[in-house]
Amino acid sequence: MTREVATTMELKQVNRGKVFSYIYQERETSKQAIAQELGMSMPTVTQNVNYLLENGLVEKRGQYESTGGRKAGILCCNAFSRIAIGVELLKEQTRVAALDLYGNVLAQKDFPVQFQPTEDYLAQFGEWINSFVHTLPYNPASVLGVRIAIQGLISPDGETVSYGEIIKCTGMKRADFQKYIELPCSLVHDTDASAAAELWHHPEISDAVFFSLNRNLGGALIVNGELHQGKHFSSGIVEHICLEPGGLPCYCGRRGCAEVYCSANSLVLRSDMDWETFFQHVHSGDAVCCKIWDDYLHYLARAMDMVRMVVNCEFILGGYLQHFFTDQDIAQLQQYVEEQCAFKGMKFSLRRDQYGEMASALGAAMQLLKNFLQSV
């Protein structure tokens, strides 16, 4: 009997999820269309729609024009029924964004304070996040939580920063942040969050390698439309591929890593200029800066080719730096990758991502939205 009850409840949950998912995807529909498209009886559709209406997930917005009979009511997903907060925690600042149920940005703000692994900083950080949430003109109960994208690897249980040498946060706990944040919070590797944003915008992606060209280099691996975390949540760490044995020192303690040749910071160090000034010099034909940029593209091509020898799939350029790439730069990089390859004629697919430097904060929030949508 218990199993029969459980089975009935499970069926109701499945049907509710199907109805909500259909309304969410269609944006605007009717009970009649739902019944026809999902093959459900009208009483079943009505029961599930009423539940969704009562819980604020769906709302009525007028009626369709009559086709001779009774006018059908227009049903829409209430995009503001759930809000997600995504945070990107960087060394020199923090960025926060609030997204509606469709991933639209409702509000965003930067917090220009240097990160410190101290109680004072965490208290200030929590106060700032809480204040940001309180200023949103939405029901606080609708906020799903806060997901923090950190420049560091996160343990499989999501509770600890297992490696965070860039901002010196190795060993920090999710609980350290939760003490000062009113909403439930969770942690995610920043590059994984960026790749999640790309998956949100392009759900058709099957297999891909995501290169994040931010101040520091990062990578993520997408397999069968999902982020591949690996055995210890460490897949896609392209930044520590060795490009030059015995080369320049990396923050990881080794030498010659892709990080020191392919990160945005590597350009600043070589040129002694900020990125905007550097690219102004490149685009004006400055010989020194053009040589630095050409070397950078060669190193990036070498890293990509090494990864491609293991995973031959689509490559996606994300992060802050890719916005400085011209179409000619993309073509040049693609040519360099093909020249690196030992197998001539091997096709290489490369494109830019959708969100650039905002990807980590947005992707973190989108992961919360995805989890919710799958649970309805």
Side-chain angles (χ1 to χ4, degrees):
M1 176 65 94
T2 303
R3 182 57 193 162
E4 289 180 4
V5 172
T7 301
T8 301
M9 293 177 64
E10 288 167 2
L11 180 59
K12 287 183 177 180
Q13 180 72 28
V14 169
N15 285 337
R16 185 185 305 152
K18 287 181 178 179
V19 170
F20 178 71
S21 179
Y22 183 80
I23 297 172
Y24 178 85
Q25 295 294 337
E26 291 297 310
R27 301 280 181 137
E28 183 179 289
T29 189
S30 66
K31 288 193 291 185
Q32 292 85 343
I34 296 170
Q36 181 177 347
E37 291 299 319
L38 299 183
M40 292 182 182
S41 68
M42 187 57 75
T44 298
V45 171
T46 299
Q47 181 184 46
N48 283 291
V49 166
N50 287 342
Y51 174 90
L52 296 170
L53 287 167
E54 290 168 6
N55 285 272
L57 293 171
V58 168
E59 56 188 5
K60 294 179 179 179
R61 294 184 188 168
Q63 295 178 315
Y64 287 103
E65 290 297 321
S66 174
T67 56
R70 189 175 181 180
K71 291 183 179 181
I74 299 174
L75 297 171
C76 300
C77 173
N78 178 7
F80 308 119
S81 62
R82 294 295 185 274
I83 308 296
I85 308 297
V87 180
E88 181 185 29
L89 198 161
L90 298 169
K91 186 175 182 179
E92 66 282 357
Q93 70 171 14
T94 294
R95 176 174 291 124
V96 62
L99 276 61
D100 71 12
L101 205 48
Y102 281 104
N104 299 311
V105 178
L106 302 174
Q108 65 183 63
K109 193 173 183 180
D110 289 344
F111 183 43
V113 174
Q114 189 89 2
F115 172 79
Q116 297 290 335
T118 64
E119 288 297 319
D120 285 346
Y121 172 86
L122 290 170
Q124 188 180 23
F125 178 85
E127 181 181 347
W128 185 70
I129 295 295
N130 296 334
S131 176
F132 174 82
V133 173
H134 290 317
T135 61
L136 298 175
Y138 306 102
N139 183 353
S142 69
V143 184
L144 295 169
V146 177
R147 192 155 176 82
I148 306 169
I150 290 182
Q151 289 182 289
L153 302 179
I154 310 301
S155 62
D157 62 5
E159 292 296 320
T160 307
V161 181
S162 56
Y163 187 83
E165 285 306 297
I166 293 175
I167 60 173
K168 305 301 180 186
C169 65
T170 300
M172 288 190 71
K173 307 287 187 181
R174 183 197 63 81
D176 296 332
F177 294 91
Q178 188 67 79
K179 277 192 297 186
Y180 302 102
I181 297 176
E182 295 169 354
L183 291 163
C185 77
S186 54
L187 307 178
V188 62
H189 184 205
D190 60 341
T191 309
D192 284 351
S194 296
E198 194 65 12
L199 279 169
W200 176 276
H201 192 80
H202 290 286
E204 75 280 3
I205 293 174
S206 177
D207 303 325
V209 176
F210 187 90
F211 268 68
S212 182
L213 308 182
N214 281 316
R215 293 159 181 80
N216 299 95
L217 181 65
L221 180 61
I222 297 169
V223 178
N224 294 327
E226 297 287 342
L227 283 168
H228 181 69
Q229 302 291 6
K231 189 174 181 180
H232 298 293
F233 272 44
S234 58
S235 290
I237 309 178
V238 299
E239 60 266 37
H240 298 296
I241 293 172
C242 184
L243 296 183
E244 292 285 2
L248 296 172
C250 178
Y251 64 79
C252 72
R254 300 166 61 216
R255 288 181 171 273
C257 292
E259 162 68 24
V260 295
Y261 299 100
C262 302
S263 64
N265 281 340
S266 70
L267 293 173
V268 173
L269 291 173
R270 283 200 64 188
S271 67
D272 197 26
M273 301 175 186
D274 60 50
W275 299 297
E276 288 81 3
T277 303
F278 171 75
F279 280 102
Q280 287 173 5
H281 282 253
V282 170
H283 297 149
S284 67
D286 179 276
V288 173
C289 289
C290 285
K291 176 64 167 61
I292 292 172
W293 180 232
D294 192 60
D295 288 345
Y296 175 92
L297 292 176
H298 271 100
Y299 276 120
L300 186 57
R302 188 185 303 178
M304 287 183 165
D305 183 59
M306 287 180 174
V307 174
R308 188 168 65 131
M309 291 301 98
V310 179
V311 185
N312 184 20
C313 58
E314 178 183 31
F315 278 63
I316 303 168
L317 278 184
Y320 174 76
L321 200 61
Q322 62 100 345
H323 284 298
F324 291 105
F325 279 67
T326 64
D327 290 342
Q328 183 178 351
D329 293 328
I330 295 291
Q332 189 70 72
L333 176 60
Q334 186 151 356
Q335 179 184 327
Y336 287 162
V337 174
E338 291 169 351
E339 288 174 355
Q340 289 278 342
C341 185
F343 304 98
K344 303 307 176 187
M346 188 174 174
K347 187 177 179 182
F348 178 64
S349 174
L350 175 68
R351 66 171 177 83
R352 305 169 192 261
D353 82 335
Q354 181 69 27
Y355 297 104
E357 63 176 326
M358 282 296 297
S360 289
L362 300 184
M366 288 166 178
Q367 287 181 316
L368 291 176
L369 296 175
K370 180 180 178 181
N371 292 340
F372 172 76
L373 291 170
Q374 291 177 339
S375 71
V376 176

